Amino acid sequence: MASTTAKTYHFVVVSNRLPVDRAPDGSWVRSPGGLVTALEPVMRSADGAWVGWPGQPDLEVEPFENDGIHIIPVPLSEYDIANFYEGFSNDTLWPLYHDVIAPPGFHRDWWENYVLVNQRFADAAAAVAAENAVVWVQDYQLQLVPRMLREARPDLTIGFFNHIPFPPYGIYSQLPWRVQIIEGLLGADVIGFQRVADAGNFLRAVRRLTNHATKNPAIEVATDGQPVRRVIARAFPISIDAASFEELAREPRIQERAREIREGLGNPKTIMLGVDRLDYTKGIGHRLKAFGELLAEGRVDVEDVTLVQVANPSRERVAAYMQLRDEIELTVGRINGDFGTMSHQAVSYHHHGYPRDEMVALYLAADVLLVTALRDGMNLVAKEYVASRFDDDGVLVLSEFTGASDELKRALLINPHDIDGMKDAMVQAIEMAPKERATRMRALRRRVLENDVARWSGNFLQTLEQARQGRYDRIAPMHLPDELEWTVDRRWSN
Ligand code: GDG
């Protein structure tokens, strides 16, 4: 383990969590996220560094190298985890940015700690960034970092990507610290969102809360006594390492495992699958309600159709998540009690995570994937299912409230609040003829395989490079559904 303390880097990624986990024996294991896969080639060629929290309270570790990536750990105390992370990030921003599906908590001590911890991340990044380096900050936990970094290091080129939605102004405006967050983000040169609608919501918030002019494709940020700075805000829909999912799915042992899974479930005619973090944004309750009603009405027979639900444990110390788990498990128990037979369970429920191999086997075993999120930045599970189905089979039922629905138009698109509509879509998916399944899946696959995560990071970093060179003429204007959105300057200020 080489120490890299005094070194500086020309490419720095900053995210709440580091891309490595500490094993019980003290060694570091790469966590298999899509972001790491996407950035790995850039990291290697640019000799990059990754700044983030190592995942355990009060863990102070010196910078080290892991498999070609320089790791710069930022420690968080128990207090920081409770206030910055579980509090402000996951109990204020998360519900607020997801259409207040759950009520956000507004607590000044959470906010104060959010500011403090963001400053700590910004300081750590500023310390390791070389002169004129590119720094890419990730996600809602670190929205103040771009401005903090710019103040410390005006020489840097700063990108920010928001993995979750950006809410409409009517909701965003509830946030007592709404101006500070906007100004924090505007420290970046390029701000990326999942959907065009998210970028539009952000632009509207900029107009309502600041005096900066918005001229497509840039916001002109005027700070006292300094030249006007241009900030690009636009959509860069994230994706997955599609080829690696297909590759895994093509392995005979994974296909054999898919057959075993089907057998283990009693070889039902149709397996429907849900894979989600156990989160109230994912619409798991709505999905179960629809399925339960189909069984009760006799439109679906428990001998023919099984719903497999993987509910990956998440944020288990946040009260809303504890309550959600109780509700979901009560519902699963009721459905199984009411409709299960000795040989067939209605819902096969799993409250734990699985290795990637098993996930891909599940995708192959599932005739239908149900993505019923009430709000979701993108939803990578939908794209992983499509990438795995090299056999051009399987039906994707996809909520229109996911970012993925902007691209995956040949899925069966649903409004998960409309339970009857969702039930009809489930039946349509179960009954769909093989030919239609294949036509739809082929179209979905073209989309996912072309727009993979390497293309996503490539597009973002290219825009960042154009911004660095001041080549704003090279950055295409973003087309908002309502073109008028861009034309008004300096409308309101607070
Ligand atoms: C946020 C945004 C946005 C899940 N269970 C297991 C497992 N997973 C993996 C999936 C997928 C990932 O976790 C979940 O990604 P999603 O996109 O579905 O959702 P969030 O966790 O909420 O992610 C989201 C994303 O950021 C990226 O920008 O799309 O909207 O909310 O990759 O496969 N993986 C394994 N075992 C499991 O049991 N191995």
Side-chain angles (χ1 to χ4, degrees), residues 94 98 139 161 163-164 194 238 245 275-277 282 310 312 352-356 359 363 376-381 384:
W94 180 268
H98 287 88
D139 228 358
F161 185 76
H163 290 255
I164 67 173
Q194 300 277 29
I238 201 170
F245 277 88
V275 175
D276 314 81
R277 270 188 312 98
K282 304 288 182 184
V310 176
N312 212 343
H352 43 82
Y354 287 103
R356 163 84 68 100
M359 298 287 297
Y363 291 147
D376 210 336
M378 178 52 61
N379 196 285
L380 297 180
V381 170
E384 290 168 4

Side-chain angles (χ1 to χ4, degrees), residues 190-488:
V190 176
I191 308 172
F193 295 93
Q194 300 277 29
R195 307 179 89 162
V196 173
D198 298 319
N201 288 340
F202 175 73
L203 286 167
R204 255 164 256 136
V206 168
R207 284 212 205 97
R208 298 291 294 262
L209 297 170
T210 76
N211 280 325
H212 309 312
T214 51
K215 289 189 187 158
N216 200 355
I219 300 158
E220 300 192 338
V221 175
T223 321
D224 288 344
Q226 281 173 36
V228 167
R229 222 169 38 79
R230 297 171 93 178
V231 178
I232 303 290
R234 59 180 304 144
F236 296 88
I238 201 170
S239 193
I240 57 163
D241 180 13
S244 79
F245 277 88
E246 168 156 0
E247 209 173 290
L248 209 48
R250 283 184 183 275
E251 283 188 30
R253 65 182 177 96
I254 302 288
Q255 291 166 40
E256 178 51 34
R257 178 65 195 137
R259 275 188 290 275
E260 274 174 28
I261 291 173
R262 289 196 78 98
E263 237 162 71
L265 292 166
N267 268 323
K269 281 191 197 138
T270 305
I271 294 175
M272 298 208 286
L273 173 68
V275 175
D276 314 81
R277 270 188 312 98
L278 187 44
D279 194 297
Y280 49 78
T281 59
K282 304 288 182 184
I284 304 170
H286 292 61
R287 184 183 312 168
L288 290 171
K289 186 175 177 59
F291 185 57
E293 287 188 16
L294 287 174
L295 288 165
E297 291 160 8
R299 290 175 73 188
V300 158
D301 191 324
V302 72
E303 304 277 327
D304 295 335
V305 183
T306 303
L307 171 60
V308 177
Q309 178 63 54
V310 176
N312 212 343
S314 182
R315 305 176 190 171
E316 291 181 290
R317 302 198 323 180
V318 177
Y321 288 74
M322 295 178 198
Q323 197 191 330
L324 175 78
R325 180 176 177 193
D326 288 347
E327 283 167 16
I328 296 296
E329 294 184 354
L330 184 73
T331 310
V332 169
R334 285 214 174 124
I335 294 177
N336 280 336
D338 286 346
F339 305 108
T341 64
M342 288 299 173
S343 55
H344 287 89
Q345 230 183 351
V347 184
S348 172
Y349 173 81
H350 309 270
H351 182 248
H352 43 82
Y354 287 103
R356 163 84 68 100
D357 289 12
E358 185 75 355
M359 298 287 297
V360 174
L362 267 170
Y363 291 147
L364 282 183
D367 304 284
V368 179
L369 182 81
L370 300 174
V371 176
T372 61
L374 307 175
R375 185 54 78 191
D376 210 336
M378 178 52 61
N379 196 285
L380 297 180
V381 170
K383 292 188 171 181
E384 290 168 4
Y385 179 64
V386 169
S388 304
R389 298 312 301 245
F390 66 90
D391 56 355
D392 289 339
D393 205 354
V395 182
L396 174 62
V397 174
L398 180 62
S399 162
E400 64 190 59
F401 299 111
T402 62
S405 70
D406 282 354
E407 299 172 80
L408 304 181
K409 296 287 186 208
R410 296 307 303 277
L412 294 184
L413 294 180
I414 52 144
N415 167 7
H417 298 282
D418 171 11
I419 301 292
D420 285 336
M422 183 153 54
K423 283 158 64 184
D424 290 345
M426 286 180 179
V427 171
Q428 190 188 346
I430 292 166
E431 292 175 351
M432 191 180 287
K435 194 155 172 262
E436 185 180 350
R437 296 204 298 259
T439 315
R440 285 176 179 271
M441 186 52 82
R442 269 198 293 272
L444 294 172
R445 288 179 58 71
R446 264 197 301 278
R447 188 78 206 201
V448 172
L449 291 168
E450 270 170 27
N451 295 303
D452 66 358
V453 73
R455 179 175 279 205
W456 167 79
S457 59
N459 284 342
F460 186 94
L461 292 172
Q462 188 188 26
T463 307
L464 198 53
E465 177 58 22
Q466 284 158 345
R468 190 178 75 78
Q469 295 174 3
R471 299 299 310 264
Y472 294 97
D473 56 312
R474 296 266 177 101
I475 301 172
M478 185 179 65
H479 295 291
L480 290 172
D482 179 357
E483 273 301 303
L484 286 175
E485 293 290 355
W486 276 101
T487 59
V488 193

Side-chain angles (χ1 to χ4, degrees), residues 98-148:
H98 287 88
D99 288 356
V100 295
I101 295 166
F106 298 122
H107 300 290
R108 283 164 285 185
D109 43 354
W110 289 0
W111 163 252
E112 279 159 24
N113 190 239
Y114 183 82
V115 177
L116 230 127
V117 171
N118 269 246
Q119 189 66 59
R120 196 179 307 152
F121 276 86
D123 292 346
V128 297
E131 182 83 23
N132 297 321
V134 169
V135 182
W136 192 2
V137 183
Q138 307 288 329
D139 228 358
Y140 63 102
Q141 304 92 349
L142 302 176
Q143 291 174 100
L144 303 177
V145 170
R147 179 175 178 164
M148 291 168 166

